[in-house]
Amino acid sequence: VDTFEGRITDIKTRYTLIRAGNGRQAIVPNESLITSRVENLTQADLKFNITTNIVVPYGSDVAQVQEILNSAARAQPRVMADPAPVTYLVNFAPDGLEFSLNFWVADPDKGQVNLRSDINIAILEGLHAAGIEIAGPRRAVRIESLPDGMLQGSMGHL
């Protein structure tokens, strides 16, 4: 409800108590449950999609990166085999190739961030083992002019 996710712990005449996985509790007016969009994960299809994105340098082997990402997800016991994890090349970003790993779980109530963290760590290890870096911002600096005499004394330092 209204970007707050958790388990309903109590329903009163005027409000409902919702407790998040991190212990936070929200008091939600019952009117909001009627007038706002509400997702009920216990009544929905238990295939819950989670994604993680990563950018690698241009020139990286696309098929190899996709396999590293998919393998990192498949190695986690909570990740469903059907549908299988899938990685897409989603963007030609300014700093490299952006991939999106999509995987599904049947138990979103056991946490999403913890699973995404485990998969991200496995991705880092897999990319490192393959000699593939994570792309970071790289900027070129163009110097159009320098004060007189500055270039002579610092030629060896530029």
Side-chain angles (χ1 to χ4, degrees), residues 18 32 63 65 88 92 94 113 129 140:
I18 301 175
S32 295
V65 172
Y88 299 104
F92 298 103
V113 175

Side-chain angles (χ1 to χ4, degrees), residues 16-158:
T16 298
L17 296 175
I18 301 175
R19 184 175 178 87
N22 64 4
R24 289 180 50 218
Q25 190 166 12
I27 300 171
V28 179
N30 288 338
E31 178 184 348
S32 295
L33 297 174
I34 295 169
T35 59
S36 301
R37 182 177 74 107
V38 176
E39 292 182 44
N40 186 342
L41 296 178
T42 60
Q43 296 296 318
D45 181 355
L46 289 181
K47 292 179 187 170
F48 189 84
N49 181 255
I50 302 174
T51 63
T52 189
N53 295 337
I54 191 165
V55 179
V56 299
Y58 283 106
S60 299
D61 183 326
V62 171
Q64 183 182 25
V65 172
Q66 288 177 308
E67 180 53 34
I68 290 168
L69 272 64
N70 289 337
S71 293
R74 284 193 305 261
Q76 296 298 318
R78 288 184 52 208
V79 173
M80 297 175 68
D82 184 26
V86 62
T87 300
Y88 299 104
L89 173 59
V90 293
N91 197 11
F92 298 103
D95 301 314
L97 303 170
E98 182 179 354
F99 291 87
S100 179
L101 168 63
N102 295 266
F103 53 94
W104 289 260
V105 296
D107 56 359
D109 57 312
K110 290 185 180 173
Q112 299 168 43
V113 175
N114 57 345
L115 179 60
R116 186 180 293 120
S117 175
D118 290 344
I119 290 173
N120 284 343
I121 290 167
I123 289 170
L124 280 173
E125 291 170 352
L127 291 174
H128 185 309
I132 301 171
E133 298 177 14
I134 297 215
R138 295 197 173 129
R139 304 293 178 249
V141 177
R142 184 174 142 199
I143 301 173
E144 294 191 12
S145 66
L146 292 171
D148 290 339
M150 187 172 195
L151 192 58
Q152 289 175 327
S154 59
M155 271 304 266
H157 302 292
L158 285 179

